[in-house]
C-alpha cells in the first residue's frame, strides 16, 4: 500500500482525490469522475470542500454570532460581553480570545488603511481606548500583537522582537486586570518561544499557568512548541514534557493525547513509509489519543483538536473505519492541526477524507455500516 501514499503526494499538489477513488475490496485505484464505482464523501453527509469552515476546529455558535456583529458594526461591546460571560479558567475563553485577535489581525491584513480609509480591526483599537481596564480587551490586544509578529515579520528580526516586546508588556497589563486568569500567561508562551526565553524563565512562566489551570490542554499545546527540536528543545524534551503531562492527567482529560502532538511536531517533512506509522512510538501515542477521546466529555472544547490529528494518523496507518468515526464527529470545521499548516487547509483535509472513504469502502464499508 506504500504506492498509495506516493500517488496521494502527487495528487495533493493540484487536486483532491475524492471523485476519482474506486472502492474495491483489497485495494484502491483511480477511476474517472462520475463513475458509479467512485467513492463519494457526500454519501456520508460530509460537507462540500467549499463549505468547510477553516476558522475553528469545531462549532462555537455564540462566538460566530458575536464575530458577525462586531465585524458588521465595528463595535467591540458584544465581544466584551461574550468574554465577560465566558469562564475564566476554561479552554473556551482562550479559544475566543484567539478568535477575536485573529479576526482583527486578518481585517488589518485585508485593509491596511491609507490616507482616505481606516485600517481593518479598528474596533479593537477603539476597545482598548474606550475601556482600558477591560480584561478581555487587554487579552485580545496582547494576542493580536503576538499574531501580528508571527504573521507580518520574520523571527529573529528587529521588527519581530519589537512587536513581541510590546506584546509582552500587553500580557503583563492583562494579567494585572485579571489576576486569576491563565490566558495572559498562555499568550506569553508564544512570546517566550519567539524571544527565546532561557529555560529557567520559561519554567517560571509555566508554573504560573499550572497554578491557575493545571489541566489546560490549550496551554500545554502552546508550551509544547517551546520544547520542540525546531525551537528551544529536542525530540526527547518534547516527549518528556508530553508524557509527564499525560501521566498526571486527571480522569476525562485530553492531556493523554499530548504525546501524539509531540510525534507530529517531530515528523520528517516527507514520510510515505507505512512502517513509520506502525512503530511502537506512534502506535502508543495514537492509542493514548484514542483513549483520551473516548474518555473525554462530549462537549470538551479541545476534543475536535485531538480528533483532527487522529484523522491524519489513522488515515496514514490505513485504519480506515476508525478514521471515518473521527470524521463523522468533526466534519464541517477544520481549523486545527494538521490542516491549518497547509496553504489550502480545505483541500488537504478533503484529500484525507476521500482516502478514508475509499479505504473504508475498499474493505467492505458503506454508509449503512458506519456507526453514528
Amino acid at each position: 500500500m506504500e504506492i498509495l501514499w506516493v500517488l496521494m503526494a502527487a495528487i495533493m499538489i493540484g487536486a483532491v482525490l475524492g471523485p476519482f477513488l474506486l472502492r474495491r475490496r483489497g485495494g484502491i485505484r483511480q477511476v474517472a469522475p462520475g463513475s458509479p464505482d467512485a467513492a463519494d464523501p457526500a454519501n456520508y453527509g460530509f460537507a462540500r470542500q467549499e463549505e468547510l469552515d477553516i476558522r475553528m476546529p469545531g462549532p462555537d455558535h455564540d462566538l460566530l454570532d458575536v464575530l458577525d456583529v462586531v465585524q458588521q458594526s465595528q463595535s467591540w461591546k458584544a465581544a466584551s460581553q461574550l468574554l465577560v460571560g465566558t469562564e475564566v479558567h476554561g479552554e473556551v475563553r482562550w479559544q475566543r480570545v484567539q478568535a477575536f485577535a485573529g479576526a482583527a489581525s486578518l481585517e488589518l491584513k485585508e485593509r491596511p488603511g491609507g490616507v482616505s480609509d481606516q485600517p481593518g480591526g479598528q474596533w479593537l483599537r477603539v476597545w482598548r481606548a474606550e475601556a482600558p481596564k477591560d480584561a478581555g480587551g487587554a487579552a485580545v490586544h496582547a494576542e493580536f500583537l503576538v499574531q501580528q509578529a508571527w504573521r507580518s515579520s520574520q523571527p529573529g528580526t528587529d521588527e519581530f522582537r519589537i512587536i513581541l516586546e510590546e506584546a509582552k508588556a500587553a500580557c503583563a497589563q492583562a494579567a494585572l486586570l485579571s489576576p486569576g486568569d491563565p490566558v495572559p500567561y498562555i499568550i506569553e508562551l508564544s512570546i517566550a518561544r519567539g524571544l527565546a526565553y532561557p529555560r529557567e524563565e520559561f519554567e517560571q512562566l509555566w508554573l504560573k499557568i499550572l497554578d491557575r489551570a493545571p489541566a489546560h490542554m490549550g496551554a500545554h499545546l502552546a508550551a509544547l512548541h517551546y520544547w520542540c527540536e525546531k525551537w528551544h528543545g529536542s525530540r526527547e524534551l518534547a516527549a518528556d514534557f508530553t508524557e509527564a503531562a499525560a501521566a498526571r492527567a486527571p480522569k476525562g482529560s485530553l492531556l493523554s493525547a499530548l504525546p501524539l502532538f509531540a510525534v507530529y511536531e517531530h515528523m520528517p517533512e516527507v514520510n510515505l513509509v507505512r512502517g513509520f506509522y506502525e512503530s511502537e512510538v506512534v502506535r502508543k501515542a495514537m492509542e493514548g489519543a484514542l483513549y483520551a477521546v473516548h474518555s473525554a466529555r462530549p462537549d470538551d472544547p479541545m476534543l475536535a483538536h485531538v480528533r483532527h490529528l487522529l484523522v491524519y494518523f489513522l488515515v496514514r496507518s490505513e485504519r480506515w473505519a476508525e478514521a471515518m468515526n473521527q470524521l463523522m464527529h468533526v466534519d464541517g470545521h477544520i481549523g486545527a492541526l494538521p490542516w491549518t499548516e497547509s496553504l489550502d487547509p480545505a483541500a488537504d483535509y478533503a484529500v484525507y477524507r476521500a482516502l478514508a472513504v475509499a479505504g473504508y469502502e475498499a474493505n467492505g464499508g458503506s454508509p449503512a455500516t458506519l456507526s453514528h
Side-chain angles (χ1 to χ4, degrees):
M1 294 294 286
E2 282 79 3
I3 189 63
L4 172 62
W5 293 105
V6 177
L7 174 65
M8 186 199 78
I11 293 177
M12 280 179 70
I13 296 174
V16 174
L17 295 178
F20 304 93
L21 292 174
L22 171 68
R23 48 183 197 271
R24 178 183 178 188
R25 185 175 297 274
I28 302 174
R29 63 180 176 84
Q30 285 187 287
V31 297
S35 165
D37 288 324
D40 186 358
N43 293 337
Y44 296 83
F46 292 144
R48 296 170 60 87
Q49 181 178 330
E50 60 270 23
E51 296 172 344
L52 295 169
D53 190 330
I54 65 173
R55 295 172 294 180
M56 297 182 297
D60 184 341
H61 300 298
D62 290 340
L63 172 63
L64 291 178
D65 289 345
V66 169
L67 270 175
D68 286 341
V69 170
V70 169
Q71 293 179 319
Q72 290 175 16
S73 68
Q74 287 295 295
S75 172
W76 54 269
K77 293 184 179 179
S80 176
Q81 290 171 359
L82 183 65
L83 290 179
V84 167
T86 304
E87 202 272 316
V88 168
H89 297 92
E91 306 279 356
V92 174
R93 181 177 175 84
W94 166 229
Q95 292 183 3
R96 287 174 173 176
V97 166
Q98 286 183 299
F100 287 130
S105 180
L106 290 174
E107 281 184 38
L108 181 60
K109 181 180 179 181
E110 293 169 359
R111 301 194 312 277
V115 176
S116 60
D117 60 328
Q118 290 186 334
Q122 184 68 17
W123 53 269
L124 178 54
R125 283 180 283 277
V126 174
W127 188 356
R128 294 299 297 128
E130 294 184 352
K133 294 186 177 181
D134 186 316
V140 172
H141 179 238
E143 173 65 16
F144 167 81
L145 291 170
V146 169
Q147 294 192 26
Q148 282 296 102
W150 289 98
R151 283 179 174 157
S152 64
S153 55
Q154 290 294 323
T157 63
D158 288 342
E159 180 186 8
F160 181 77
R161 176 171 289 277
I162 289 169
I163 299 174
L164 284 187
E165 290 288 0
E166 184 181 355
K168 185 176 181 179
C171 285
Q173 183 178 12
L176 287 174
L177 292 171
S178 184
D181 188 349
V183 169
Y185 301 102
I186 298 173
I187 296 170
E188 193 178 347
L189 291 172
S190 292
I191 300 170
R193 175 163 52 104
L195 295 181
Y197 281 20
R199 287 185 184 173
E200 182 178 353
E201 185 177 356
F202 183 86
E203 288 171 350
Q204 289 174 354
L205 170 63
W206 182 239
L207 287 175
K208 293 177 182 178
I209 295 170
L210 291 182
D211 285 343
R212 291 161 174 80
H216 200 291
M217 180 70 171
H220 281 80
L221 291 176
L224 170 60
H225 291 293
Y226 179 91
W227 294 113
C228 285
E229 190 173 60
K230 59 188 174 184
W231 287 104
H232 311 297
S234 66
R235 185 186 303 265
E236 292 73 24
L237 286 170
D240 289 346
F241 173 75
T242 56
E243 289 169 8
R248 67 171 183 269
K251 184 177 181 181
S253 168
L254 287 168
L255 292 178
S256 299
L258 275 176
L260 188 63
F261 287 85
V263 169
Y264 175 77
E265 292 293 341
H266 291 90
M267 287 178 57
E269 290 188 9
V270 178
N271 192 325
L272 303 177
V273 180
R274 181 183 176 187
F276 171 80
Y277 299 94
E278 296 176 340
S279 67
E280 183 178 356
V281 170
V282 176
R283 181 191 58 78
K284 183 179 177 182
M286 288 175 62
E287 295 309 317
L290 286 166
Y291 169 79
V293 164
H294 293 152
S295 60
R297 301 189 329 269
D299 62 345
D300 190 312
M302 294 299 293
L303 187 55
H305 285 272
V306 181
R307 290 191 187 278
H308 278 291
L309 195 62
L310 273 170
V311 168
Y312 174 87
F313 278 97
L314 290 169
V315 169
R316 288 280 187 168
S317 303
E318 298 176 18
R319 293 165 64 169
W320 312 115
E322 291 171 282
M324 289 294 288
N325 180 264
Q326 301 304 322
L327 285 165
M328 295 299 290
H329 287 90
V330 299
D331 191 73
H333 298 270
I334 60 168
L337 287 175
W339 328 119
T340 49
E341 293 194 335
S342 167
L343 294 176
D344 191 342
D348 274 14
Y349 170 82
V351 166
Y352 277 79
R353 185 178 65 183
L355 282 165
V357 170
Y360 180 65
E361 295 188 356
N363 289 275
S366 71
T369 61
L370 186 64
S371 299
H372 288 71

